[in-house]
Amino acid sequence: MYIILVYDFGQKRVGKMLKLCRRYLNWIQNSVFEGEMTEVQLKEMLHEAKRIMNEEQDSLILFKNRDQKWMDKQIVGIERQSTDDFL
Amino acid sequence: MKQTKYLMNPGRLSRQDHTLKFTPVDEAGNEGQPRFLPVEQVSDLYVFGSLDANSALYNFLGKEGIAVHFFDYYEHYTGSFMPREYLLAGKMQVEQTKHYTFPKKRIVLARAFVEGAATNILRVLKYYDNRKTGSLADAIATIEQLMASIPLVPDVPTLMGIEGNIRQIYYRCFDAILGETFCLDGRSKRPPQNELNAMISLGNMLCYSACLGMIYHTQLNPTISYLHEPGARRYSLALDMAEIFKPILIDRLIFRMVNKRQLQPSDFRMEVEGCLMKESARKRFVQEFDASLKETIKHRSLGRSVSYKHLIKLECYKLQRHLLGIDAYKPFKAWW
């Protein structure tokens, strides 16, 4: 499944969340990640995210897509970071 | 499915925050903007550029079960960093060795590999024979004749001989398929002497590494092989496996890229030692290879779509079933 993840965390916790997301998804912009992941990996990540976040103050939003091919990505301005497999 | 990452540019790979960080470094030693690779989504790494890394990184990769395959300046496969085996199965190992030591058992598997390779070669040739209106008919007939003798060969060296003959005839067809832009002029290796040989070498190496990567994720031991003689420092089972997939994965890729003019003679550089692919062309080639690994086909007996990469893994599973005496091994034969 292809995921776009955005979060808005309090300053104290935002760094932890960034590190967690980097393990699973590609960073594309501040507080925005995208990438392919499995159901289990998502569960794993959400479980850890819930331990970091303060559910009264922080928010985490997921956009799920069955496949990347159903998603069109358009970039206006600069691309902060590409996500391809060739470095 | 986890992805293969290709490191084409020089840089430094390090471990940070329990994930991978790649920092590109240019010739002057200036560091570029780092990129974080999500470690949970990486299956293996192919390293083409020069890479700086330390043992902390390798410890981490080992723990995560990520293999690293290295290719040198001349696009030869130089070796792999293989993490500790994580799928250990003593029974499998014993059976695998038994099938090697008993000539009667070994020849069955060796034959299957050659048969699979030859069938796939024929499949490729027949496709181009159709398009080039019968110019390859002679070669096809000869290969079919040679194939008919496979079930009768008494031992592995003779089988290797037949395999060699098939491949020779096959490579002779390349010129007819590709037209004038490139000519093969005989297969040369270490180093390849012309453009086409350079493409085949790089392609075969990629195929070999892909097979090795898949074998790693099964219980099979990559050093015990059946068609090729197990060497001292080689993962020869990957060579056996690659035999089957080379025609459909690599040769088709080469034909496609040359005929579509995605590769031109200007993409190559002649050096004293041999012919080299220029960096940009190499990247394109590897990119196309990766795309074809991800391409899916509708599997006949499974009834669902599987990628070519997964097809290699299924091949390992079939081999395992044969070794454990569950099913006889039937090599993968392309039907399209």
Side-chain angles (χ1 to χ4, degrees):
Chain A
M1 125 179 89
Y2 203 76
I3 281 186
I4 298 166
L5 181 152
V6 293
Y7 59 80
D8 194 342
F9 273 35
Q11 204 187 353
K12 264 187 138 175
R13 299 171 295 273
V14 71
K16 278 189 182 166
M17 191 56 198
L18 174 76
K19 287 175 188 172
L20 171 66
C21 291
R22 268 181 189 156
R23 273 170 55 198
Y24 291 89
L25 297 165
N26 293 300
W27 179 85
I28 46 171
Q29 248 169 44
N30 289 344
S31 313
V32 186
F33 285 80
E34 75 169 69
E36 185 73 38
M37 81 196 312
T38 64
E39 293 278 353
V40 178
Q41 285 175 331
L42 179 64
K43 269 197 174 157
E44 234 172 60
M45 195 184 74
L46 286 182
H47 180 73
E48 284 188 62
K50 278 183 187 150
R51 283 178 26 188
I52 297 171
M53 76 195 292
N54 176 342
E55 287 186 53
E56 256 98 71
Q57 291 173 22
D58 303 335
S59 93
L60 174 69
I61 302 171
L62 284 167
F63 298 91
K64 299 187 206 172
N65 228 327
R66 236 176 62 203
D67 202 303
Q68 192 182 357
K69 70 181 172 206
W70 306 119
M71 193 193 74
D72 247 338
K73 183 171 162 186
Q74 186 187 358
I75 298 157
V76 184
I78 54 154
E79 186 178 27
R80 293 290 295 274
Q81 189 113 70
S82 80
T83 56
D84 70 348
D85 295 333
F86 300 85
L87 304 164
Chain B
M1 197 150 170
K2 292 190 174 185
Q3 302 293 331
T4 305
K5 302 282 176 191
Y6 300 84
L7 306 176
M8 316 291 288
N9 295 309
R12 176 167 188 81
L13 192 65
S14 51
R15 170 193 184 160
Q16 193 181 321
D17 303 330
H18 211 78
T19 191
L20 302 169
K21 181 172 124 184
F22 181 75
T23 322
V25 180
D26 65 9
E27 284 112 37
N30 303 316
E31 290 191 354
Q33 189 200 21
R35 207 179 119 186
F36 286 86
L37 304 175
V39 67
E40 305 280 345
Q41 314 300 349
V42 179
S43 64
D44 39 18
L45 296 163
Y46 284 42
V47 181
F48 290 92
S50 69
L51 182 75
D52 279 356
N54 57 16
S55 59
L57 173 82
Y58 285 107
N59 282 334
F60 180 55
L61 289 175
K63 214 179 269 171
E64 298 291 329
I66 298 170
V68 191
H69 305 293
F70 297 97
F71 297 84
D72 70 4
Y73 180 71
Y74 300 103
E75 289 146 13
H76 289 138
Y77 171 79
T78 39
S80 297
F81 163 75
M82 295 293 269
R84 174 176 59 87
E85 289 279 319
Y86 70 108
L87 293 168
L88 294 171
K91 195 173 169 196
M92 197 70 233
Q93 183 109 346
V94 170
E95 290 299 331
Q96 219 186 326
T97 319
K98 260 197 208 157
H99 277 78
Y100 169 71
T101 36
F102 294 129
K104 262 190 189 151
K105 286 184 170 178
R106 181 180 172 192
I107 190 82
V108 174
L109 281 170
R111 272 189 202 129
F113 284 124
V114 177
E115 198 194 308
T119 318
N120 292 336
I121 283 175
L122 279 176
R123 188 58 65 188
V124 173
L125 287 183
K126 278 178 183 161
Y127 172 77
Y128 281 98
D129 189 49
N130 258 338
R131 307 187 79 191
K132 310 262 163 185
T133 55
S135 56
L136 304 171
D138 289 348
I140 292 174
T142 328
I143 292 180
E144 271 168 352
Q145 257 172 24
L146 282 167
M147 254 184 90
S149 60
I150 292 174
L152 309 170
V153 286
D155 52 19
V156 174
T158 337
L159 187 64
M160 281 295 258
I162 292 179
E163 195 260 349
N165 289 338
I166 292 179
R167 224 154 254 282
Q168 220 173 4
I169 298 165
Y170 177 50
Y171 282 134
R172 247 179 253 149
C173 298
F174 272 45
D175 291 340
I177 296 172
L178 290 175
E180 281 98 50
T181 337
F182 295 107
C183 71
L184 185 65
D185 200 20
R187 179 85 177 98
S188 53
K189 290 185 253 192
R190 291 165 197 275
Q193 290 306 326
N194 58 29
E195 294 91 348
L196 200 48
N197 275 301
M199 281 185 249
I200 299 174
S201 287
L202 174 60
N204 287 352
M205 287 297 129
L206 287 170
C207 184
Y208 170 74
S209 321
C211 291
L212 179 57
M214 285 293 116
I215 292 173
Y216 173 71
H217 291 294
T218 65
Q219 272 90 356
L220 292 168
N221 184 325
T223 54
I224 303 171
S225 59
Y226 302 99
L227 177 59
H228 295 81
E229 205 56 45
R233 276 183 300 253
R234 277 209 305 186
Y235 295 118
S236 35
L237 186 60
L239 290 175
D240 283 5
M241 215 59 111
E243 252 356 282
I244 295 179
F245 290 98
K246 272 183 326 198
I248 26 179
L249 276 177
I250 304 304
D251 302 337
R252 273 186 176 167
L253 177 70
I254 294 173
F255 298 152
R256 196 168 65 224
M257 288 191 78
V258 172
N259 286 336
K260 280 189 183 167
R261 313 213 177 278
Q262 283 171 296
L263 286 170
Q264 300 277 353
S266 59
D267 285 324
F268 295 85
R269 197 171 57 227
M270 281 308 278
E271 296 218 339
V272 196
E273 302 90 351
C275 186
L276 285 183
M277 210 186 257
K278 282 185 193 161
E279 209 124 312
S280 58
R282 194 198 313 174
K283 185 171 177 187
R284 271 205 310 279
F285 190 86
V286 177
Q287 241 159 357
E288 288 287 325
F289 170 74
D290 189 59
S292 51
L293 273 186
K294 283 179 195 156
E295 211 178 302
T296 57
I297 53 151
K298 186 95 173 168
H299 195 281
R300 273 185 175 172
S301 47
L302 290 180
R304 62 181 169 89
S305 294
V306 292
S307 66
Y308 279 91
K309 194 175 177 183
H310 193 65
L311 219 47
I312 302 177
K313 199 166 182 180
L314 291 177
E315 206 60 15
C316 300
Y317 291 153
K318 279 197 284 182
L319 186 59
Q320 286 187 337
R321 290 169 72 79
H322 178 96
L323 295 175
L324 296 175
I326 303 170
D327 264 335
Y329 174 66
K330 281 204 214 86
F332 166 72
K333 293 174 182 170
W335 58 82
W336 63 93

